[in-house]
Amino acid sequence: MKTSGEITRRSFLKQLSVGGTAVGLTPLVVPAHALGLEDHTAPSERIGVALIGLGRQCMWRNLPVFARRRDCQILALCDVDRWRLQVEDNPAVADSAKAHQWDPEILKSCFRTTDFREALARPGVDAVMITTPDHWHIPIALAAIRAGKDVCCEKPLGLAIRHGRILADAAAKARCVFRTDSEFRSIPHLYKAVALVRTGKIGQLKTIRISVPIVWNETLPPQPEMPVPPELDYEMWLGPAPRAPYTEKRVHPMKSYGRPYWYCNRDYCNGMICNWGYHPADIAQWANNTELTGPVEIEGKGTLPPAHYLWNVILDFKVRYRYANGVEMFYEGRTQYSDGQSYMRFEGTEGWVCGWYAPDRLEAEPKSLLTVEIKKEEFPYPLKNEKHDFLDCVRTRGRTLQDAEVGHRSTSIGQLGYIACLLGRKLTWDPDKEQFVGDDEANQLAQGDPGRAPWKIA
């Protein structure tokens, strides 16, 4: 197993600058594997994949799908926690393989590293799956695009609106296949809810209501510094984020796949309003047919912990959005749920439909909507697993169901709401220019909160 040495933060940031043409606009190259594959594919014709980030999301949702695809070959594994790279001795690997029916033997010959750049440079790697903390999504995605790779990247796309815009533009200019990884469009009852709205079965859409559970965001004051575990490349974990002393509650539970702590710190994540909340926001954008634009007015309020706390992301919140088409959307995050985790409700002039994430269910009024058959010509979007969508488009060079532009716009929903809560006033947004109208302070936050910005793009 090969692992990298530590990198200097200054040299890393210099390499990731994207001013001018530094993004590396690679010409469109169609790999041999993209020209059509048989059911039984020779190794030389498979899509070579590097998995970057091997935490709980990768182990239980992403890795199994790539491992089961006959036309896909996992060639490289990358994680800053060397314990996760020891796939032979990692019981979670065996548990995932058993639960999701894939062969763990396929990982034993993989190249392994703590430095994603070495994974990108590995011969045969055509595509990457990025499953890292949020503050790493855009830097690694940009580096992958610069290296000529196709990219599947976990949501959300960035911690500031400008970051997502740079990524979306880079992906479009490089003409790479890009998939923002969110499974909600692949959930049948949520797919049907969107289809009912988009095909006018509830009449004219008037109001959207979405929610997200705030069950993983808590407050925690500063914690004492701890020795860095020998298996953790902490400098690489921090990467472009501000230098900070190591404490386990900043990173993730060591030698465990428990939910990571970085969810709760604004240097690495904007919290549930933007992270997990991407899912219902994206379904709302899709149903409203605004997935390539955004709202024009936002106001909100929420509970904000002290900024100096270790866990300091926004907690419960309520945000109202208004779109140019007149649709209003109400987005809330609640710490207590008696009726389920997350809902996406669409109210029209002739009825309503509401999809729940957990427990899985679809409700509607009139109830006859639940048995309506949606014809393919009415709603011509595929219903398939999000990783299959990505790999299929790598083969065909088609557009994924959530490319970088769609992912950026859906990510912006949470970011706009967060900014409105931070400022506590009604904001006017120009979705074409992606600027707040007449509000310099809000526009600065859209560039990246100067007090808590995780990284800057030159």
Side-chain angles (χ1 to χ4, degrees), residues 227-239:
V228 177
E231 64 269 23
L232 179 66
D233 188 340
Y234 183 56
E235 283 295 312
M236 180 61 93
W237 185 89
L238 284 172

Side-chain angles (χ1 to χ4, degrees), residues 101-141:
Q101 299 181 339
W102 58 275
D103 184 1
E105 291 293 319
I106 66 172
L107 300 181
K108 291 187 176 180
S109 61
C110 287
F111 173 76
R112 306 175 215 178
T113 179
T114 61
D115 189 333
F116 70 90
R117 293 167 298 181
E118 293 181 350
L120 293 177
R122 193 68 180 167
V125 170
D126 304 302
V128 298
M129 175 72 241
I130 301 171
T131 320
T132 64
D134 294 358
H135 72 291
W136 265 115
H137 287 177
I138 286 186
I140 296 177

Side-chain angles (χ1 to χ4, degrees), residues 135 138-139 142 157-169 408 415 446-449 453-457:
H135 72 291
I138 286 186
L142 288 173
L157 299 186
L159 302 186
I161 294 171
R162 179 170 176 259
H163 300 167
R165 167 48 52 209
I166 289 174
L167 175 61
D169 288 348
H408 163 58
Q415 293 168 336
Q447 299 289 309
D449 182 347
W455 58 288
K456 296 180 180 179
I457 303 177

Side-chain angles (χ1 to χ4, degrees), residues 246-447:
Y246 173 80
T247 184
E248 186 178 39
K249 296 291 187 180
R250 183 183 303 279
V251 185
H252 57 252
M254 298 306 298
K255 296 188 176 180
S256 166
Y257 286 91
R259 189 163 292 277
Y261 303 125
W262 55 261
Y263 264 102
C264 300
N265 186 289
R266 286 170 58 188
D267 285 338
Y268 324 112
C269 177
N270 285 327
M272 296 292 282
I273 189 173
C274 296
N275 181 290
W276 205 94
Y278 174 95
H279 297 305
D282 179 68
I283 291 296
Q285 286 276 95
W286 195 22
N288 194 28
N289 198 20
T290 52
E291 63 178 2
L292 298 179
T293 181
V296 297
E297 186 178 278
I298 313 99
E299 59 182 327
K301 59 181 180 179
T303 301
L304 297 165
H308 73 281
Y309 268 31
L310 180 61
W311 293 356
N312 57 9
V313 296
I314 191 170
L315 302 178
D316 56 298
F317 60 87
K318 290 186 177 181
V319 183
R320 183 190 69 85
Y321 304 81
R322 183 175 61 82
Y323 287 84
N325 62 5
V327 171
E328 283 195 315
M329 182 167 74
F330 299 88
Y331 178 24
E332 67 172 339
R334 296 183 290 169
T335 56
Q336 298 296 324
Y337 272 75
S338 59
D339 50 0
Q341 279 198 348
S342 177
Y343 58 80
M344 290 132 275
R345 179 183 169 103
F346 305 96
E347 301 169 1
T349 55
E350 299 176 24
W352 59 264
V353 60
C354 182
W356 292 82
Y357 174 69
D360 295 342
R361 69 177 186 263
L362 186 66
E363 300 173 346
E365 189 62 44
K367 290 183 174 53
S368 58
L369 288 170
L370 299 175
T371 57
V372 169
E373 293 290 335
I374 305 294
K375 297 178 181 179
K376 187 175 181 180
E377 55 267 28
E378 292 182 278
F379 191 65
Y381 299 94
L383 176 60
K384 63 169 71 174
N385 175 277
E386 63 279 1
K387 261 70 71 173
H388 290 313
D389 178 41
F390 171 63
L391 292 170
D392 290 346
C393 288
V394 170
R395 290 171 52 201
T396 64
R397 311 314 295 172
R399 178 176 177 265
T400 67
L401 197 56
Q402 290 182 71
D403 63 10
E405 183 67 34
V406 171
H408 163 58
R409 294 291 187 166
S410 293
T411 297
S412 295
I413 296 300
Q415 293 168 336
L416 289 167
Y418 204 167
I419 292 172
C421 291
L422 287 172
L423 297 179
R425 58 177 176 267
K426 185 184 295 185
L427 303 172
T428 301
W429 176 249
D430 183 334
D432 295 326
K433 296 180 180 179
E434 291 190 297
Q435 294 179 353
F436 291 100
V437 178
D439 197 319
D440 291 341
E441 186 178 11
N443 282 320
Q444 180 62 57
L445 292 173
Q447 299 289 309

